[in-house]
Amino acid sequence: MGGWQRALSAAGITEPGLRADYERQRTRVAAYKREVPLALGLLMPPSVVPHLIAATAFIHHTDNLLDSGPRESRKAAYVQWEQDVTDSLTRAHSDDPELRPLLNTVAAHPVLRECVLDFLAGAAADLDFAGFATEADYQHYLDAYSLPAFMVVATLLGPDGDQQAYRAACRLFIDASQRLDFVSDLAEDLAQGRLTIPAQRLERHGVTRGDLEQARDLPAVRELITGLLDEVDRTLAESRAVVGLVPPAHRPMVRCMIGLDELTGAAARRDIPALLRRSAGPGTLGAVRLLGREYLRARRS
């Protein structure tokens, strides 16, 4: 029996149809980010892995509905999806293979139910995203969308009982991670008509949207991006407190998540002008080393 099959059994998922539903979601998550199932399988207790896959697949599917196609069709699809999810949670039943794993995971981890509803309540804001005027607008986006989305997964990594301090630490991490995503994916977002750096910040540095869209390697552009990466580093360092708030068995995964962002930030710094042409990432070798280090650390403990 393979590791994934053992994880399904450890999570109490024995019904063949439900196992197949989880398997489809694992395949979909792997197609989106192949490192996610690998890291979960190596670093997390088997009984939690299928539930993390279900939560990740749910977020990814919702994001796809919000991002794919003309606005009106996206809005209609999202409204229907929100209704389907809410109704299914109320009934604790669905015939939709896209929702059955989520419902089973919510049954196993009831705290997740409110996280799903919080996320759905704010997710529609992403339909009309047109950029940020100020830093306060960005912070509002974090509270309305980024943090609730992250907590759908992070709640499963967190401590039992009161998660107030844990959620505050997660807020720090997602602030750093979201800002890093916006910087590292700047070229891709601009190509899709999205400017994710607050206009107020551009004005402060004397940078225009055209400077970024035309990939102008100007001192002011470098200063702008360097300042954003400095904020990422500071906030990411503060967010490391989150490691001590999760169960010991979950700490290798949380350290890995933070470490991947640190690698991405370092890669972005190495060639700032390139961020105006392509995305930055942690690099395969660095990610493999990080994963191997945390795997060995997990085995020792």
Side-chain angles (χ1 to χ4, degrees):
M1 185 185 295
W4 169 244
Q5 297 301 320
R6 286 195 297 271
L8 288 171
S9 298
I13 303 164
T14 57
E15 195 273 315
L18 188 58
R19 288 172 77 97
D21 292 338
Y22 274 92
E23 173 63 28
R24 279 191 296 273
Q25 294 203 328
R26 180 177 181 270
T27 300
R28 194 172 301 127
V29 169
Y32 167 58
K33 282 192 175 181
R34 62 182 179 179
E35 68 272 17
V36 171
L38 174 63
L40 292 177
L42 289 174
L43 302 182
M44 288 297 296
S47 62
V48 189
V49 172
H51 299 308
L52 286 166
I53 288 290
T56 303
F58 167 69
I59 293 296
H60 179 51
H61 181 75
T62 305
D63 282 344
N64 278 344
L65 291 178
L66 293 168
D67 293 341
S68 304
R71 184 195 177 282
E72 288 309 311
S73 62
R74 287 186 286 126
K75 181 178 180 180
Y78 177 74
V79 168
Q80 184 61 59
W81 173 244
E82 182 181 21
Q83 188 65 54
D84 291 345
V85 175
T86 304
D87 289 348
S88 297
L89 287 171
T90 300
R91 300 193 312 269
H93 173 77
S94 176
D95 294 323
D96 184 349
E98 194 69 50
L99 285 174
R100 283 198 296 261
L102 178 69
L103 295 181
N104 184 72
T105 289
V106 169
H109 299 272
V111 67
L112 187 60
R113 187 179 190 277
E114 289 305 312
C115 293
V116 169
L117 294 175
D118 285 347
F119 168 61
L120 291 174
D126 204 45
L127 285 169
D128 296 313
F129 178 81
F132 308 114
T134 66
E135 173 68 17
D137 293 331
Y138 165 71
Q139 294 295 329
H140 176 73
Y141 179 87
L142 287 181
D143 289 323
Y145 180 69
S146 303
L147 180 60
F150 180 63
M151 292 308 297
V152 172
V153 176
T155 293
L156 299 175
L157 296 170
D160 293 332
D162 183 12
Q163 291 195 347
Q164 185 173 352
Y166 173 65
R167 183 182 176 90
C170 285
R171 174 61 165 74
L172 279 172
F173 172 71
I174 201 60
D175 186 353
S177 189
Q178 181 67 83
R179 199 184 301 272
L180 177 62
D181 280 350
F182 283 159
V183 173
S184 61
D185 291 338
L186 182 59
E188 181 181 331
D189 287 333
L190 284 169
Q192 296 174 358
R194 293 162 56 103
L195 176 59
T196 53
I197 300 175
Q200 185 183 59
R201 191 137 192 168
L202 266 66
E203 293 170 7
R204 188 191 314 159
H205 289 273
V207 174
T208 68
R209 180 172 184 148
D211 292 333
L212 301 178
E213 290 175 334
Q214 296 173 38
R216 293 175 179 149
D217 183 12
L218 302 172
V221 171
R222 288 175 176 248
E223 183 182 81
L224 167 69
I225 295 176
T226 298
L228 291 167
L229 291 173
D230 288 345
E231 285 192 29
V232 168
D233 288 349
R234 285 194 298 269
T235 313
L236 205 56
E238 291 178 37
S239 76
R240 276 199 167 271
V242 75
V243 176
L245 298 176
V246 303
H250 298 179
R251 289 173 188 171
M253 187 68 211
V254 175
R255 284 193 299 265
C256 191
M257 291 163 59
I258 295 172
L260 286 172
D261 275 356
E262 290 173 339
L263 289 172
T264 300
R269 281 187 186 276
R270 282 195 293 271
D271 194 352
I272 286 177
L275 293 174
L276 303 176
R277 301 187 302 274
R278 56 173 169 75
S279 296
T284 302
L285 184 58
V288 169
R289 285 174 175 167
L290 173 63
L291 183 58
R293 185 165 64 247
E294 290 300 339
Y295 172 70
L296 292 175
R297 192 171 180 177
R299 287 293 298 269
R300 285 196 297 269
S301 61

